[in-house]
Amino acid sequence: MKGIAGLAWMAGMIALLSACGGTDRHSATRDGADWPTTGRTLDAQRFSPLNSINRDTVGRLGLAWSVDLDTNAGQEATPIMRDGTLYIISAYDVVRAVDARTGEVRWTYDPQVRAAAARSCCGPVSRGVAVENGLVYVGALDGRLIALNAQDGTVRWQVQTLDDAWPPAVNYSITGAPRVIKGRVIIGNGGAEFGARGFITAYNAQSGKKEWRFYTVPGKPGTRDNAASDAMLGKVQSTWNGQWWRWGGGGTVWDAIEYDRELDLLYFGVGNGSPTNHGLRSDGKGDNLFLASIVAVRPDTGEYVWHYQETPAESWDYTATQPIILADLEIGGKMRKVLMQAPKNGFFYILDRATGELLSADPIAKTTWASHIDLKTGRPVENPDARYYRTGKTTILYPSSGGAHNWQPMSYSPQTGLVYLPVMEMGIPLSQGGSQTPVPGVYNTGTDMQGGTAWNAEQLKTIRQNTKGFLMAWDPVRRKVAWKRELAANFNGGVLSTGGGLVFQGNAERKFAAYDAKNGELLWQFDAQTGIAAAPITYAIDGIQYVAVMAGWGGAWPMLGGQLAEQPVNGVGPNRLLVFRLDGKGILPPLPNAAPRQLDPPTETASADLIARGNGLYGENCLRCHGMAAVSASMVPDLRHSGAIHSADAFNQIVIGGALKDQGMPGFRTQITASDLEAIRAYLIHRANQDAKNNGSGTR
């Protein structure tokens, strides 16, 4: 009887641990061999104690093996490694299970989401999957949450997470990694640029049944959602004005979601407003909760506990969806349970994660929208010129809407006490403009979005001098930079720190590199043949330590950045899973020699007025994928070279008719008229002729 009772007790404990997620806060596995969640442990520090690869041995690091991903659309995912299997998700949400020793692909699942790819602001990317209790959880671009059998990739269940009401589903997407907490799959969504209303939802991990939902912004006055957020409706709605619900309001939860088991609190970061322009969205009044905030709720019910708003009355696309790290730090002579985040707005925040109290907020990059954060009030001290909708002027602001730090993961090393993160310094001109009424399926920002024109070599040089990227080591206790290393471009990869005293990061220059965690010295690098934006992981099998990274240039900056994103090199290249070990002997095949393409545009005949109109329409409808000034630095076709601009009929069939929708280019029948289309074509012909005459600058 005692043995049976003991077995029953053990079975009960296993079930309890499974329901809680099965991973304690500080240790994924006691020896660090696995990488079971996107942040490795529940505190999401992305630090591994593995140390076979260290300062002394990293020079012997070599490629063990690689897996071709059959795309060049870009990679942002963090792999998961459990029990000898790597679970990866590629562009267009293609999931693979890979033998972590050999690289053999065990199964592949394709959710067929190419037709929904244009829903995403920033490419057909995903930041990862979740793996728990024999299931692999996938958030798909078309809004589905899918549970796969981890053994063979077959679908166990799937559910559509999007609302059927306004805003329409075409405005939404999912690019973030799900989290599994206490037997529930937690997922948010993206789409605030298009006109979405943000929410985060918990689904039963075994059945897919919805258990609760929390809306981050209120709906139409007088309505309730029958959601966990209803309890806060009065407080939240009082911070809004005008007719925000017609635009959706924004506040999508597209990435940062973390959990503290000791406090039993679920934390999530909330995105930007929709439209971006606070004057248009809310008549220029009110803080607009919970935009650009960190919110803490109970994971069982979604019950609100606390929030801290980093950017009140958000009007610059300054999201708070950037990665969150949990740690215990000594601050002011007292141990504090803290939450750390470096959001887009340029400040590094430390909060008491039990109460939401602001402990510190310091700039990590050039910031001109605000001089500092008042620690007594918790509010930014703003530059009055930053609110362009009040001044009526164009204002150049730092950081840009891309942020001082974006989605790329950062890492905290308990060995050094430092946070390692990629940092950008880049400004953006902002002014009021764009459509004054919501248009489904296209950018609805309330700002003047132009397609842009080309820069000559001297202009590019000047702009580049003010556009920088760094790998930074930040001391969160001393509140200062410990060291920083300037990189060749501004948009670089996520970060891993290890017990071997190393920091790993990929970059836009097609390199995967290892640095000394103490001082930033470059110790090793590998030619990846493509830019790297994703964060690496490390794991061990049979006593051998491996380092793995999803290599592939894509995402917001390569798609939007045009000529700037081609500096110092165009990072587009073969997308692969790269896995390294000491004394690895693998070699990547050489890249084919690609001759630069010469521009051969049609003769330019359109009027200046038509070209100017096309410039604005391109900015609102096309720029997000095809690039600033119609220069593509990503895998998306460069429209200056497109044969379709030679024929009005062919251009119509593609853009309005949707002839290429199965390849990720949707039809814009409900957004663009025939006269709009001709204006866009005139602008593209103009841009192609400009660059064809500009000493070959249109070659690629």
Side-chain angles (χ1 to χ4, degrees):
M1 290 293 292
K2 183 177 180 181
I4 294 174
L7 288 172
W9 176 85
M10 184 178 295
M13 287 303 295
I14 291 172
L16 178 61
L17 286 172
S18 296
C20 292
T23 307
D24 75 30
R25 189 169 77 80
H26 296 292
S27 175
T29 54
R30 291 297 176 184
D31 58 3
D34 281 3
W35 193 284
T37 66
T38 187
R40 197 185 79 84
T41 53
L42 288 181
D43 48 25
Q45 293 179 1
R46 292 180 179 262
F47 169 84
S48 170
L50 297 178
N51 59 13
S52 296
I53 302 169
N54 54 50
R55 295 183 188 93
D56 297 326
T57 63
V58 71
R60 294 165 41 205
L61 197 62
L63 184 68
W65 48 264
S66 63
V67 175
D68 289 340
L69 300 177
D70 303 321
T71 181
N72 62 353
Q75 305 299 323
E76 296 187 1
T78 298
I80 301 296
M81 205 293 282
R82 280 182 179 256
D83 301 323
T85 299
L86 283 162
Y87 298 93
I88 62 174
I89 184 168
S90 178
Y92 302 107
D93 299 331
V94 177
V95 183
R96 293 174 175 86
V98 180
D99 188 307
R101 294 176 179 83
T102 66
E104 177 190 0
V105 177
R106 292 172 171 165
W107 55 258
T108 301
Y109 169 76
D110 186 345
Q112 301 294 326
V113 297
R114 281 165 179 77
R119 290 185 181 188
S120 171
C121 76
C122 312
V125 294
S126 172
R127 294 179 195 91
V129 298
V131 182
E132 197 70 57
N133 300 327
L135 295 177
V136 180
Y137 299 96
V138 183
L141 283 169
D142 61 6
R144 284 177 293 159
L145 178 63
I146 306 167
L148 306 176
N149 187 315
Q151 294 299 312
D152 58 16
T154 55
V155 176
R156 179 73 63 85
W157 56 257
Q158 58 183 313
V159 61
Q160 178 54 254
T161 69
L162 304 183
D163 279 343
D164 293 326
W166 180 266
V170 71
N171 288 6
Y172 289 91
S173 61
I174 297 177
T175 57
R179 306 308 202 264
V180 182
I181 304 296
K182 300 182 74 173
R184 298 172 180 86
V185 187
I186 314 295
I187 193 69
N189 52 57
E193 289 78 15
F194 298 92
R197 183 187 180 200
F199 52 83
I200 184 171
T201 313
Y203 295 89
N204 183 282
Q206 292 301 313
S207 67
K209 180 182 178 181
K210 185 170 78 172
E211 296 199 357
W212 57 259
R213 173 165 288 179
F214 189 102
Y215 285 90
T216 60
V217 302
K220 185 177 181 179
T223 63
R224 299 179 70 84
D225 298 304
N226 296 316
S229 45
D230 282 356
M232 293 296 295
L233 188 59
K235 178 178 180 179
V236 170
Q237 193 164 287
S238 67
T239 68
W240 290 76
N241 288 271
Q243 295 185 328
W244 72 89
W245 64 90
R246 296 175 57 242
W247 299 85
T252 49
V253 183
W254 53 262
D255 200 6
I257 304 170
E258 304 301 345
Y259 173 63
D260 185 315
R261 176 176 292 165
E262 296 173 20
L263 298 174
D264 194 33
L265 287 177
L266 179 72
Y267 310 99
F268 57 88
V270 183
N272 54 292
S274 181
T276 307
N277 184 337
H278 178 240
L280 185 59
R281 180 179 71 240
S282 190
D283 288 347
K285 302 172 185 176
D287 285 346
N288 292 181
L289 291 175
F290 291 106
L291 296 183
S293 300
I294 295 174
V295 181
V297 301
R298 295 296 178 194
D300 292 326
T301 62
E303 177 191 359
Y304 167 89
V305 178
W306 61 256
H307 80 275
Y308 172 73
Q309 189 172 41
E310 294 171 337
T311 311
E314 193 283 313
S315 203
W316 309 280
D317 196 359
Y318 287 166
T319 60
T321 49
Q322 284 56 58
I324 288 170
I325 288 177
L326 310 182
D328 296 343
L329 300 180
E330 184 176 345
I331 297 177
K334 179 181 178 182
M335 290 302 297
R336 304 292 293 259
K337 295 180 180 297
V338 305
L339 178 154
M340 297 185 283
Q341 188 188 48
K344 279 188 182 182
N345 74 10
F347 292 89
F348 190 98
Y349 291 84
I350 300 181
L351 307 179
D352 184 308
R353 67 176 184 269
T355 65
E357 176 192 357
L358 176 64
L359 301 178
S360 64
D362 300 282
I364 57 171
K366 183 177 180 180
T367 58
T368 63
W369 74 278
S371 61
H372 64 283
I373 307 298
D374 186 324
L375 295 184
K376 291 183 179 180
T377 65
R379 298 180 69 89
V381 179
E382 291 185 10
N383 171 2
D385 289 339
R387 295 204 175 268
Y388 50 88
Y389 57 88
R390 290 177 181 162
T391 67
K393 301 175 182 177
T394 298
T395 304
I396 297 178
L397 291 176
Y398 286 80
S400 75
S401 57
H405 174 228
N406 207 300
W407 62 266
Q408 290 94 327
M410 58 186 188
S411 176
Y412 170 72
S413 168
Q415 281 189 346
T416 63
L418 301 177
V419 176
Y420 304 95
L421 71 161
V423 174
M424 297 184 285
E425 283 194 353
M426 179 171 58
I428 188 173
L430 276 176
S431 60
Q432 184 158 295
S435 175
Q436 300 300 295
T437 57
V439 181
V442 301
Y443 269 22
N444 288 271
T445 67
T447 62
D448 187 18
M449 295 189 67
Q450 297 294 313
T453 189
W455 294 301
N456 60 37
E458 192 60 34
Q459 289 170 323
L460 270 175
K461 181 180 178 181
T462 301
I463 294 168
R464 283 293 304 161
Q465 288 173 345
N466 294 290
T467 303
K468 300 177 181 180
F470 303 93
L471 173 60
M472 178 181 289
W474 178 262
D475 189 325
V477 175
R478 293 179 175 84
R479 299 170 57 183
K480 65 179 184 178
V481 176
W483 56 259
K484 69 177 181 179
R485 186 180 183 95
E486 186 167 355
L487 303 174
N490 61 312
F491 192 81
N492 298 289
V495 180
L496 160 72
S497 62
T498 74
L502 299 174
V503 174
F504 287 92
Q505 183 195 33
N507 59 49
E509 207 175 7
R510 302 185 175 205
K511 298 295 192 295
F512 183 53
Y515 303 89
D516 190 318
K518 290 184 177 179
N519 56 29
E521 178 187 356
L522 176 64
L523 300 177
W524 170 89
Q525 63 180 355
F526 175 84
D527 183 358
Q529 300 184 347
T530 179
I532 296 176
I537 68 165
T538 187
Y539 61 91
I541 299 178
D542 301 329
I544 299 173
Q545 183 181 355
Y546 298 85
V547 177
V549 67
M550 299 286 280
W553 184 238
W557 180 240
M559 295 183 74
L560 295 169
Q563 287 172 292
L564 283 177
E566 292 195 304
Q567 308 292 322
V569 295
N570 187 299
V572 175
N575 287 199
R576 298 183 175 102
L577 168 65
L578 302 176
V579 178
F580 303 86
R581 57 167 290 179
L582 294 179
D583 304 316
K585 304 299 183 184
I587 299 174
L588 295 179
L591 291 172
N593 292 322
R597 295 174 61 193
Q598 299 294 327
L599 286 165
D600 183 24
T603 302
E604 185 176 348
T605 60
S607 68
D609 287 345
L610 187 63
I611 292 168
R613 180 165 170 254
N615 186 347
L617 288 165
Y618 177 90
E620 291 179 4
N621 296 279
C622 317
L623 182 147
R624 70 178 189 266
C625 292
H626 294 280
M628 187 164 48
V631 177
S632 175
S634 73
M635 59 84 191
V636 178
D638 188 311
L639 296 182
R640 298 170 304 157
H641 291 276
S642 174
I645 66 173
H646 290 257
S647 165
D649 182 62
F651 201 55
N652 185 296
Q653 288 182 37
I654 294 170
V655 180
I656 292 182
L660 301 179
K661 64 180 181 180
D662 292 336
Q663 299 177 39
M665 170 61 196
F668 283 75
R669 185 178 302 278
T670 60
Q671 296 98 342
I672 294 176
T673 67
S675 63
D676 290 341
L677 187 65
E678 192 54 28
I680 293 171
R681 191 170 79 94
Y683 166 73
L684 293 172
I685 292 171
H686 170 71
R687 283 290 302 112
N689 276 279
Q690 267 190 324
D691 287 347
K693 297 171 185 175
N694 192 19
N695 298 320
S697 68
T699 62
R700 180 180 169 190

